Amino acid sequence: MLRALLLTLSVVAIAHAELCKPDAQNAFKVRISIKTALGDNAYAWDANEEYLFKAMVAFAMRRYSSKSTTQISNVLLCNVTDRVSFWFVVTDSSKNVTTVPGSEVEAAIRMNRNRINNAFLLSDKTLQFLKITSTLSPPVEPSTPVWLIVFGVVLCLIVAGIVFLVVSGIQKHKKKNKDSTERENLEEKVEVTLENGIPCEALDLKAGHINGVFAADDERFTSL
Amino acid sequence: LSAASEIPKEDDRPKWDNKFQYILSCIGFAVGLGNVWRFPYLCQIHGGGAFLIPYFIALLFEGIPLLHLELALGQYLRKGSIGAWNTISPYLGGVGVGSWMVSVLVSLYYNTVLTWVMWYFINSFQEPLPWSVCPLNENRTGFKEECHESTAVNYFWYRKTLNITPDIAESGKLQWWLVLCLAACWLIVYLCTIRGIETTGKAIYVTAIFPYLVLTIFLIQGLTLPGATEGLIYLFTPNLNILKNPRVWLDAATQIFFSLSLAFGGLIAFASYNPTKNDCEKDAVTVAIVNSMTSLYASIPVFSVLGFKATTAYWDCLDRNIVNIINEFDLPEESIMRQNYTSWISFLNSSYPEKIAGLKLKSCDLQEFLDQSVSGTGLAFIVFTQAIILMPGSQAWAILFFIMLFSLGLSSMFGNIEGVFTPLLELQIIPKSAPKELLSGIICLISFLIALSFTLGSGSYWIDIFDRYAASVPLLVIAFFEVIGVVYIYKIKRFSKDVEWMTGRKLNLYWHIAWRFISPLLLLIVFMAFVTLQMQKTPSYTAWNPKYEGFPMKEEKVYPPWVQAICVLLAALPGMCVPLVALFHLVKEKRRSKDPSFVPPEVFSCQAANS
């Protein structure tokens, strides 16, 4: 009895070793970069983490195929390195010593990738399943592009500025016209001494306008 | 006395509110995008600190004399470029027309560059920045191929902004987002130049001073970035051997010339609004020195950021190699760091050479990354935007950077538009009773409609053409004729008397020597060297073609003959105005002199009866 048990166990162990080895059929390599993802908060990869990994894979298989036959013991890990990387394979308990087809495993993992990542506080980049490509999530796009909103604001400011300047220009023009007609009326009424058409009051006799010709000439004549 | 006849009465010509506004406008016109994205590049490729030697020599003998000449001319004659040159001699009227034409051509394409800046500015409010991530392809398994093969920054510039066609002959469609931004830019220009210097004088306080603020902020931030010191050392380490290369001297001369915005007619227009008794000599020296100092000042943050970018790229290269090695040998994480990378590599190479060779590791060399030099739009829209993504708080830096570029370009646009506006105002294209706002509106509207052609798919190729041909050779020709015209036709003795009257002191010997001999000679040499260099190879351009085998390298293509004809036309036409107008007047004179009843006007013109 005991011998039979030992024999079965050794057969199972050898079978497991046969099933899970690098580049085995339906086996996948996993690469985990905990320090890159978490920096100082990195946890160590030990047997407990491996157990969690097996549990997550089993969970994924159960969710995918909706039959609750996959057990944690069905998931085999091997060749764990310091990197941290290892190979895993999922066995089928109903059929003896066979592995679940790779396509099924791949589909299951892909479906539950987010849950698996979150369980380990990692992302698609830091928890890599080397043969399984991940579907990239599209960037969040608001309904109106942001640049159009900013453009609208800028354009409104510019147009407001132009309208203000044009309107103030027109007002100034009108006022100047009104002022000049008023002054003409005033000049007709009041007798003003005119000098060359300019009323004397307007001339600032103190400042005056220096005629450049004579100013320059002054330098040429010797002073008296 | 010669001074008598030419001083017009104190009329209702607009004037500057104060001297500071005038100086600021001149500085704003001179300081433009070239100070930020061309001068640092030239410094880098021409031996770092050693480039400053030909640069300052060119400043002394070419830049400052020509600048003084233009400012004195405009201030004395109190007219825009066309009017001023017609006053000096009707035969030289072509110089004014040529300047006006160049101002028109440059205004057209310069504002389109500002359109690109505005587009990037309004996109900087997005989180994450749109040029930091590649868009996904249709089935969401990866990124768009064009983006994946080049970089996200390249993709955003060539595809999302320009939507560039692979060949200049393919025009593509009008890009609606660029049309919107172009309309906004021309509206901003209209807003600021609506009443000539009355409005630009107010706007210049902001647009001329703001860039200095931002440059200072970038300076402080840039110096704190890792790798900034490498960039600065690389920039300023002088390599004196480079001075033996004549190309360096040519580049220094052309850089000073174009940087000071000479021969556009804008400086003449600005100076014409000054009171006549103003020290134009001091103004010229001030503006030239401030312009050069700004170039130097701007190159410090630019190179800090470029050094930072090169260092980050170098670290990325190292990190990628490290990850590859760790994955291949299944070593624990963080066993190989950047510091002990070289020792690990040598160890692994000796123990497992085949495995290492199989990994195809890229060689990472910091010097190689620093050597990648870019100028012009490539610097602003590709290299700098990439560096900004790496900085913390990227949105703020992007917004600041693009507002700074916009202000720099806008203040230069004021000068360009003034060079177009003032002569037209004097020629009285529109009746005097019509408001000035109408003329500036017409100018902006027509320019906008013509500039729409730059928003086509092939638009950026055309802008390159305009930049290379319309804004280079014609300016040299016009400046040469400016100096010759003033010194030998108007006569230097008369001009120096006019300047002495304006400044109140005798003209230094330096100006006499520079104006009479050195500047014209230098201009002639520079012009001939420039044309010779251009003619040595057929004009070609680099096109962004995703279907090219060497993609993401750009494809080198030759311009088709009809495009080459346009290039020649652009380069030759403004310069041709000078002899054409002179010929026109000669013919007119000959025809008049044949008429016996007509008294020749020379009797009344003071220009004939002078010293």
Side-chain angles (χ1 to χ4, degrees):
Chain A
M1 176 64 180
L2 202 63
R3 226 193 280 168
L5 201 63
L6 274 171
L7 202 64
T8 338
L9 274 173
S10 52
V11 166
V12 169
I14 294 168
H16 280 192
E18 284 290 314
L19 289 172
C20 177
K21 56 176 198 255
D23 297 319
Q25 199 190 39
N26 301 329
F28 292 90
K29 184 167 181 184
V30 179
R31 194 184 284 146
I32 299 188
S33 317
I34 310 175
K35 285 205 190 124
T36 317
L38 301 169
D40 287 331
N41 298 328
Y43 50 81
W45 186 262
D46 52 16
N48 299 328
E49 307 288 341
E50 286 183 23
Y51 190 82
L52 178 58
F53 183 80
K54 293 187 200 174
M56 292 306 294
V57 173
F59 161 76
M61 293 302 299
R62 284 190 181 210
R63 247 183 121 216
Y64 174 70
S65 50
S66 314
K67 52 180 173 33
S68 320
T69 50
T70 322
Q71 305 290 330
I72 291 183
S73 49
N74 286 120
V75 184
L76 307 172
L77 261 61
C78 50
N79 282 70
V80 185
T81 63
D82 284 333
R83 168 61 184 83
V84 170
S85 68
F86 50 84
W87 290 82
F88 78 94
V89 79
V90 183
T91 56
D92 199 342
S93 32
S94 51
K95 305 187 193 126
N96 224 354
V97 201
T98 49
T99 51
V100 174
S103 50
E104 264 188 60
V105 179
E106 183 172 336
I109 300 274
R110 217 193 235 140
M111 192 179 104
N112 298 290
R113 190 64 187 269
N114 207 22
R115 300 292 297 274
I116 302 176
N117 285 349
N118 283 331
F120 290 96
L121 304 172
L122 300 172
S123 67
D124 278 359
K125 276 220 179 87
T126 40
L127 170 55
Q128 291 170 295
F129 289 86
L130 284 187
K131 270 182 282 179
I132 306 178
T133 51
S134 45
T135 321
L136 300 159
S137 56
V140 177
E141 284 234 352
S143 48
T144 10
V146 176
W147 69 265
L148 208 56
I149 300 174
V150 180
F151 177 76
V153 170
V154 169
L155 200 66
C156 285
L157 288 171
I158 301 169
V159 170
I162 292 178
V163 165
F164 169 70
L165 280 177
V166 168
V167 164
S168 69
I170 295 176
Q171 279 180 346
K172 222 192 309 187
H173 200 68
K174 268 197 209 143
K175 197 160 150 233
K176 205 166 37 162
N177 278 345
K178 203 160 62 138
D179 273 350
S180 64
T181 46
E182 270 180 18
R183 194 188 294 154
E184 275 169 27
N185 295 339
L186 210 67
E187 280 173 6
E188 282 166 15
K189 292 184 197 152
V190 181
E191 286 259 321
V192 181
T193 14
L194 292 177
E195 181 74 44
N196 277 348
I198 308 169
C200 281
E201 283 85 18
L203 284 175
D204 184 359
L205 292 164
K206 289 200 198 80
H209 295 283
I210 299 177
N211 189 332
V213 180
F214 295 103
D217 262 0
D218 272 335
E219 291 160 17
R220 292 176 172 245
F221 298 124
T222 45
S223 49
L224 294 167
Chain B
L1 197 70
S2 60
S5 54
E6 270 124 52
I7 306 169
K9 346 183 255 299
E10 292 291 337
D11 53 358
D12 54 3
R13 192 175 180 76
K15 7 185 228 292
W16 298 106
D17 287 345
N18 50 55
K19 176 87 180 274
F20 184 58
Q21 220 180 55
Y22 161 64
I23 297 280
L24 214 57
S25 297
C26 289
I27 291 177
F29 184 31
V31 171
L33 297 169
N35 294 66
V36 170
W37 70 32
R38 185 137 171 91
F39 177 78
Y41 163 75
L42 286 176
C43 250
Q44 183 191 358
I45 62 169
H46 287 320
F51 182 69
L52 294 176
I53 298 177
Y55 184 73
F56 277 110
I57 292 180
L59 180 70
L60 208 59
F61 291 114
E62 192 192 343
I64 298 185
L66 284 169
L67 187 61
H68 187 198
L69 190 89
E70 287 207 9
L71 291 182
L73 202 70
Q75 191 174 294
Y76 190 72
L77 296 175
R78 310 200 81 221
K79 289 216 178 88
S81 56
I82 298 184
W85 289 103
N86 266 327
T87 313
I88 293 222
S89 161
Y91 293 101
L92 280 179
V95 178
V97 176
S99 310
W100 181 85
M101 225 183 260
V102 174
S103 286
V104 169
L105 291 172
V106 172
S107 304
L108 286 176
Y109 85 81
Y110 205 79
N111 217 15
T112 316
V113 176
L114 287 185
T115 305
W116 297 337
V117 175
M118 170 170 272
W119 166 253
Y120 268 79
F121 167 70
I122 58 182
N123 269 294
S124 305
F125 288 87
Q126 208 172 316
E127 160 79 35
L129 289 171
W131 54 83
S132 61
V133 284
C134 271
L136 300 174
N137 57 16
E138 283 81 35
N139 47 8
R140 297 214 266 143
T141 51
F143 300 117
K144 281 216 169 100
E145 201 184 314
E146 188 182 350
C147 187
H148 186 64
E149 284 183 24
S150 57
T151 60
V153 176
N154 275 327
Y155 180 77
F156 187 74
W157 168 236
Y158 288 109
R159 190 55 49 213
K160 293 315 261 291
T161 306
L162 300 175
N163 201 7
I164 206 166
T165 53
D167 193 285
I168 194 171
E170 285 173 48
S171 300
K173 309 190 304 266
L174 286 175
Q175 314 305 329
W176 63 272
W177 56 92
L178 285 182
V179 172
L180 284 181
C181 292
L182 185 74
C185 282
W186 276 110
L187 281 174
I188 293 182
V189 170
Y190 181 52
L191 174 69
C192 295
T193 58
I194 194 167
R195 281 189 225 134
I197 63 162
E198 220 181 293
T199 40
T200 62
K202 312 277 187 316
I204 202 79
Y205 285 118
V206 175
T207 60
I209 297 185
F210 186 71
Y212 288 97
L213 269 152
V214 177
L215 275 175
T216 312
I217 296 176
F218 263 99
L219 181 80
I220 299 173
Q221 201 259 0
L223 289 174
T224 61
L225 294 169
T229 30
E230 272 86 24
L232 286 173
I233 293 172
Y234 181 72
L235 169 69
F236 285 118
T237 315
N239 172 18
L240 289 165
N241 287 326
I242 208 96
L243 294 178
K244 295 189 207 134
N245 183 0
R247 190 66 206 266
V248 177
W249 294 87
L250 178 66
D251 276 342
T254 45
Q255 172 61 17
I256 269 291
F257 186 79
F258 300 136
S259 178
L260 283 171
S261 307
L262 298 166
F264 277 92
L267 288 167
I268 297 182
F270 280 158
S272 70
Y273 297 117
N274 265 343
T276 33
K277 287 266 198 184
N278 176 49
D279 193 344
C280 50
E281 184 182 342
K282 205 159 67 164
D283 297 342
V285 175
T286 311
V287 171
I289 291 186
V290 169
N291 180 53
S292 295
M293 288 300 124
T294 309
S295 291
L296 273 173
Y297 188 61
S299 51
I300 301 179
V302 167
F303 267 87
S304 312
V305 172
L306 288 181
F308 161 69
K309 180 175 176 301
T311 307
T312 321
Y314 171 65
W315 285 346
D316 274 345
C317 180
L318 278 183
D319 287 343
R320 249 175 299 140
N321 284 354
I322 290 174
V323 165
N324 280 338
I325 296 174
I326 289 182
N327 288 345
E328 177 69 20
F329 290 93
D330 280 323
L331 300 164
E333 281 184 283
E334 291 182 6
S335 52
I336 308 181
M337 303 293 284
R338 290 179 199 141
Q339 297 89 313
N340 50 17
Y341 172 76
T342 29
S343 49
W344 266 100
I345 272 283
S346 44
F347 163 69
L348 287 170
N349 225 350
S350 48
S351 352
Y352 308 96
E354 325 81 38
K355 263 197 175 177
I356 293 284
L359 282 176
K360 293 203 184 61
L361 298 171
K362 276 207 180 120
S363 69
C364 299
D365 180 17
L366 180 61
Q367 202 57 30
E368 200 185 303
F369 287 111
L370 282 171
D371 274 334
Q372 291 166 356
S373 53
V374 195
S375 79
T377 50
L379 180 73
F381 298 117
I382 298 181
V383 172
F384 234 75
T385 43
Q386 196 156 29
I388 285 178
I389 304 173
L390 304 164
M391 295 181 203
S394 335
Q395 270 88 3
W397 297 115
I399 293 171
L400 271 180
F401 178 63
F402 289 115
I403 295 190
M404 175 188 80
L405 284 187
F406 196 78
S407 314
L408 281 172
L410 195 64
S411 50
S412 299
M413 269 306 280
F414 293 161
N416 282 326
I417 292 286
E418 206 51 51
V420 176
F421 186 64
T422 306
L424 284 181
L425 204 62
E426 285 161 10
L427 286 175
Q428 293 183 347
I429 300 282
I430 56 167
K432 229 174 168 107
S433 55
K436 263 191 265 183
E437 289 90 330
L438 188 64
L439 181 62
S440 43
I442 294 175
I443 294 177
C444 290
L445 184 65
I446 296 180
S447 308
F448 165 67
L449 292 172
I450 301 179
L452 279 176
S453 52
F454 292 124
T455 58
L456 291 168
S458 55
S460 75
Y461 297 132
W462 286 105
I463 290 193
D464 269 334
I465 288 181
F466 269 67
D467 194 33
R468 260 197 276 177
Y469 296 103
S472 56
V473 172
L475 293 172
L476 290 168
V477 171
I478 291 170
F480 178 72
F481 280 112
E482 276 189 7
V483 182
I484 296 294
V486 168
V487 170
Y488 296 108
I489 299 186
Y490 188 75
K491 298 289 195 298
I492 182 79
K493 245 193 238 179
R494 190 169 159 205
F495 188 64
S496 62
K497 270 204 211 103
D498 297 340
V499 176
E500 279 165 30
W501 179 80
M502 285 196 294
T503 61
R505 54 171 186 278
K506 213 162 153 44
L507 211 55
N508 201 332
L509 186 66
Y510 157 71
W511 300 110
H512 278 280
I513 301 179
W515 284 338
R516 269 193 240 222
F517 312 114
I518 305 186
S519 297
L521 197 65
L522 258 177
L523 278 172
L524 200 63
I525 297 175
V526 169
F527 170 70
M528 294 206 293
F530 202 81
V531 172
T532 324
L533 266 165
Q534 293 278 41
M535 303 226 287
Q536 265 175 0
K537 49 181 171 66
T538 33
S540 64
Y541 66 109
T542 48
W544 180 262
N545 185 6
K547 297 203 179 57
Y548 176 52
E549 312 91 50
F551 189 76
M553 298 296 290
K554 294 174 87 174
E555 189 181 352
E556 181 93 24
K557 283 189 180 172
V558 172
Y559 285 126
W562 63 277
V563 174
Q564 287 189 26
I566 295 183
C567 296
V568 171
L569 202 70
L570 281 175
L573 201 61
M576 293 290 281
C577 283
V578 181
L580 279 176
V581 169
L583 204 69
F584 170 72
H585 273 281
L586 202 68
V587 166
K588 204 161 76 164
E589 284 308 307
K590 279 228 164 78
R591 218 179 281 163
R592 275 201 196 166
S593 64
K594 284 207 180 114
D595 183 359
S597 61
F598 189 77
V599 182
E602 263 99 283
V603 174
F604 303 110
S605 157
C606 284
Q607 275 132 20
N610 63 10
S611 42

